[in-house]
């Protein structure tokens, strides 16, 4: 129950025996984070932690992961195809293409000067408010 409260599950004591289908997608993700924290790991590997969540809940989950990382002094590896999601959380990014790492850089360097064509393609495919009305890069 304590970890459920820590990951911001409302009314955790009353919901501790609820089934997964009784929780929203964001709440299920928070439960998974609580389960990962239960063993007090030095490192959490989060594989697509924001998939199928709306933008607001994505931001909440990413903020929660960053907060827990600082609080518990643990490493965090995020596996995602969405470079927009990790921009504020990551220190370093490794881009994989065809199962191999093709580029590694500090997050701000990667966004400023992507070296690999695949990395440039990923960054160009992120929708941007300042490009409203332009065709989205595929």
């Amino acid at each position: 129950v304590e970890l459920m409260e820590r990951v911001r599950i409302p009314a955790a004591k009353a919901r501790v025996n609820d089934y997964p289908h009784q929780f929203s997608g964001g709440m299920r993700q928070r439960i998974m984070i609580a389960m990962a924290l239960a063993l007090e790991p030095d490192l959490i590997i989060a594989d697509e932690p924001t998939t199928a969540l709306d933008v607001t809940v994505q931001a909440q989950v990413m903020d929660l992961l960053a907060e827990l990382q600082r609080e518990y002094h643990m490493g965090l590896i995020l596996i995602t195809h969405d470079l927009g999601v990790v921009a504020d959380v990551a220190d370093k990014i490794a881009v994989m293409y065809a199962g191999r790492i093709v580029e590694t850089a500090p997050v701000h360097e990667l966004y400023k000067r992507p070296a690999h064509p695949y990395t440039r393609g990923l960054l160009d495919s992120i929708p941007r408010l300042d490009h409203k009305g332009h065709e989205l890069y595929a």
Side-chain angles (χ1 to χ4, degrees):
V1 174
E2 182 180 315
L3 284 174
M4 286 176 65
E5 290 170 343
R6 180 61 198 91
V7 296
R8 302 185 196 123
I9 301 289
K13 286 182 183 180
R15 301 203 66 190
V16 74
N17 291 317
D18 284 2
Y19 291 96
H21 71 274
Q22 294 173 293
F23 290 96
S24 68
M27 290 296 128
R28 282 194 298 269
Q29 195 65 313
R30 290 169 192 270
I31 294 292
M32 293 301 296
I33 293 168
M35 290 170 63
L37 290 173
L39 296 175
E40 300 177 6
D42 292 328
L43 173 71
I44 286 185
I45 300 173
D47 189 358
E48 296 286 356
T50 60
T51 297
L53 302 177
D54 67 53
V55 176
T56 303
V57 178
Q58 280 183 2
Q60 291 171 355
V61 168
M62 294 308 295
D63 289 345
L64 176 62
L65 284 170
E67 181 182 314
L68 293 169
Q69 180 187 15
R70 286 188 302 273
E71 182 180 324
Y72 288 88
H73 307 288
M74 66 183 173
L76 176 63
I77 296 176
L78 295 170
I79 301 169
T80 183
H81 66 281
D82 190 344
L83 290 179
V85 167
V86 298
D88 295 327
V89 178
D91 298 319
K92 189 175 179 182
I93 294 180
V95 177
M96 294 184 73
Y97 179 72
R100 300 199 185 276
I101 294 176
V102 295
E103 182 171 5
T104 303
V107 66
H108 299 296
E109 286 297 312
L110 186 107
Y111 282 86
K112 285 180 193 170
R113 287 182 284 288
H116 194 273
Y118 183 71
T119 305
R120 284 193 297 275
L122 283 175
L123 291 171
D124 288 343
S125 69
I126 298 171
R128 294 177 44 175
L129 291 175
D130 61 337
H131 289 160
K132 190 174 182 179
H134 290 92
E135 189 173 319
L136 187 61
Y137 180 81

